[in-house]
Amino acid sequence: QVQLVESGGGSVQAGGSLRLSCVTHGDSDIDLCMGWFRRAPGKEREGVAAMDTRGGGAFYADFVKGRFTISHDYAKNTLYLQMNSLRPEDTAMYYCAAIKGMCGASWWSRESDYRYWGQGTQVTVSS
């Protein structure tokens, strides 16, 4: 069993930065594909970025490329999302998700493929 706990959300002005964290509790000594998703008001949840906890490449949605960076600290069992140059359209609830195994380029952004989810952390960007 894997439990995910996010933190780091908040309110910032456009152009600002935030770093989200997601701590993995439970059976963490396994290979995981971990991702960040977000749901804006009135919209469906969408994939933001994903990576394997054992390393390897990362995947990003086009709308965050060059602004957001996903990383993982294996010793701390923590996934991060560094968000720079934030825009009002980045306002959303951000969720951490995980599934055992390695990420796949064809499905990493598909929420139905993830088994474990955190409760979410709110990010609000004002203009």
Side-chain angles (χ1 to χ4, degrees):
Q1 189 71 9
V2 174
Q3 297 86 41
L4 306 175
V5 180
E6 305 100 329
S7 62
S11 297
V12 295
Q13 290 190 327
S17 299
L18 284 173
R19 188 177 77 161
L20 306 183
S21 299
C22 173
V23 179
T24 303
H25 298 278
D27 188 10
S28 58
D29 190 23
I30 53 175
D31 294 344
L32 294 171
C33 169
M34 296 192 71
W36 289 100
F37 287 76
R38 70 184 188 186
R39 177 181 284 145
K43 295 187 178 181
E44 294 185 352
R45 189 154 54 184
E46 59 185 356
V48 175
M51 68 176 295
D52 298 317
T53 57
R54 293 285 185 177
F59 302 94
Y60 293 95
D62 287 343
F63 52 80
V64 301
K65 282 182 179 178
R67 300 189 299 127
F68 292 9
T69 303
I70 190 172
S71 61
H72 183 262
D73 187 327
Y74 199 83
K76 296 181 178 180
N77 293 326
T78 302
L79 182 75
Y80 300 100
L81 184 68
Q82 178 65 46
M83 305 186 295
N84 299 328
S85 301
L86 282 162
R87 305 166 180 169
E89 54 263 40
D90 294 318
T91 294
M93 183 71 78
Y94 283 72
Y95 299 89
C96 176
I99 182 69
K100 294 181 182 180
M102 297 181 69
C103 299
S106 63
W107 60 263
W108 73 265
S109 62
R110 198 163 57 215
E111 62 173 302
S112 60
D113 285 303
Y114 289 79
R115 178 176 179 181
Y116 308 103
W117 290 86
Q119 294 301 306
T121 185
Q122 178 68 38
V123 172
T124 303
V125 185
S126 59
S127 58

